[in-house]
Amino acid sequence: MSNSTYQCLEDIGRIQLSENFFFREFLYSEVAISHGIVNKPENLNMAIEAGQSLCQKVLEPIQDRFGRIHIRSGFRSSEVNEVGNTKKLNCASNQLNCGAHIWDRADSEGYIGATACIVIPKLLPYLKETNDWPSLAWWLHEHIEEYADICFFQNNFAFNIRWSSNPAFKKRIRTYTKNPDTGCKKNLYNNGVVHPAYGDKTAEQRFEKIVLI
């Protein structure tokens, strides 16, 4: 790595996106490191704008409620994401990830956005004992007004959460791990439609267990 590349990454990493989050923690990528790729934005201004909205409107409220959150994956350059997708390293295509993990490119409709994959350490003991990630999903749905998409995974109950500038974005709660309440992997919520297993419950009843923690 050249000195100029190092200086560029250092400068980007010092950019404060919100009260508690700096760009540096979103740049780390195992795909980039293992393949010798520099993970930095081509369009820095767009990446900052999208990252600020993600951090200020989505991540800060989560951290305010549950304590420090751990960033598993954040910004990906289009090159890093393409390698991750081609080599089947848990990265969706560039087309699907623009305006998501690829913060510095707008989506197919021209809207910017940003995604982070996070873990909430405070909740891990409860989640590992109960597998009750749906309560967390419903809490996020009711309290994080500007999320666009949530997707849960099995390892450490990590989940992707996305902000999008598209005001008409169709909100979804998806999962790649089995839902203990339903025994399936169907969406909990999709553009106003609630999974039938939760249809007879109030919003508070859907996340009541998580509020006790």
Side-chain angles (χ1 to χ4, degrees):
M1 181 186 295
S2 68
N3 286 343
S4 61
T5 299
Y6 165 80
Q7 188 62 56
C8 179
L9 289 172
E10 186 174 58
D11 290 343
I12 293 171
R14 294 178 187 275
I15 296 171
Q16 187 172 10
L17 299 174
S18 66
E19 181 180 359
N20 293 291
F21 296 98
F22 287 78
F23 212 131
R24 188 177 189 272
E25 58 198 302
F26 297 94
L27 292 176
Y28 182 85
S29 165
E30 286 93 349
V31 174
I33 292 171
S34 61
H35 290 83
I37 306 170
V38 177
N39 187 38
K40 66 182 182 66
E42 296 176 7
N43 187 334
L44 181 58
N45 288 336
M46 182 181 291
I48 292 172
E49 182 180 355
Q52 285 176 334
S53 290
L54 172 69
C55 291
Q56 294 170 13
K57 300 175 181 180
V58 175
L59 301 185
E60 289 284 4
I62 298 173
Q63 183 156 286
D64 284 346
R65 172 58 182 85
F66 296 110
R68 189 187 71 83
I69 64 176
H70 168 59
I71 308 298
R72 281 285 308 139
S73 178
F75 168 82
R76 297 180 197 150
S77 70
S78 55
E79 182 182 5
V80 169
N81 192 81
E82 184 174 9
V83 169
N85 178 251
T86 301
K87 295 185 177 294
K88 303 185 186 304
L89 300 175
N90 300 315
C91 298
S93 69
N94 280 16
Q95 181 181 5
L96 291 177
N97 256 329
C98 285
H101 275 296
I102 303 176
W103 298 6
D104 60 338
R105 290 191 179 184
D107 65 19
S108 59
E109 296 183 60
Y111 293 97
I112 69 170
T115 290
C117 182
I118 70 174
V119 171
I120 304 178
K122 179 180 179 179
L123 296 182
L124 276 180
Y126 170 76
L127 293 174
K128 287 180 177 180
E129 180 181 354
T130 66
N131 201 34
D132 183 30
W133 60 264
S135 290
L136 173 57
W138 285 118
W139 186 94
L140 295 167
H141 177 70
E142 294 297 332
H143 293 83
I144 309 302
E145 182 177 349
E146 295 205 39
Y147 90 86
D149 185 76
I150 299 170
C151 185
F152 274 83
F153 307 100
Q154 182 61 51
N155 287 341
N156 283 334
F157 300 93
F159 58 94
N160 281 349
I161 189 161
R162 178 181 182 184
W163 171 86
S164 173
S165 66
N166 185 350
F169 201 98
K170 299 177 180 178
K171 290 189 174 184
R172 296 179 299 175
I173 303 175
R174 299 177 291 128
T175 176
Y176 282 101
T177 186
K178 186 181 292 186
N179 185 336
D181 297 333
T182 66
C184 70
K185 297 181 181 180
K186 293 182 179 179
N187 292 350
L188 275 68
Y189 184 86
N190 189 13
N191 191 27
V193 178
V194 176
H195 190 291
Y198 304 96
D200 62 347
K201 296 183 179 180
T202 66
E204 290 75 16
Q205 288 173 331
R206 293 170 189 165
F207 62 78
E208 62 183 352
K209 295 177 184 177
I210 213 75
V211 301
L212 300 176
I213 300 173

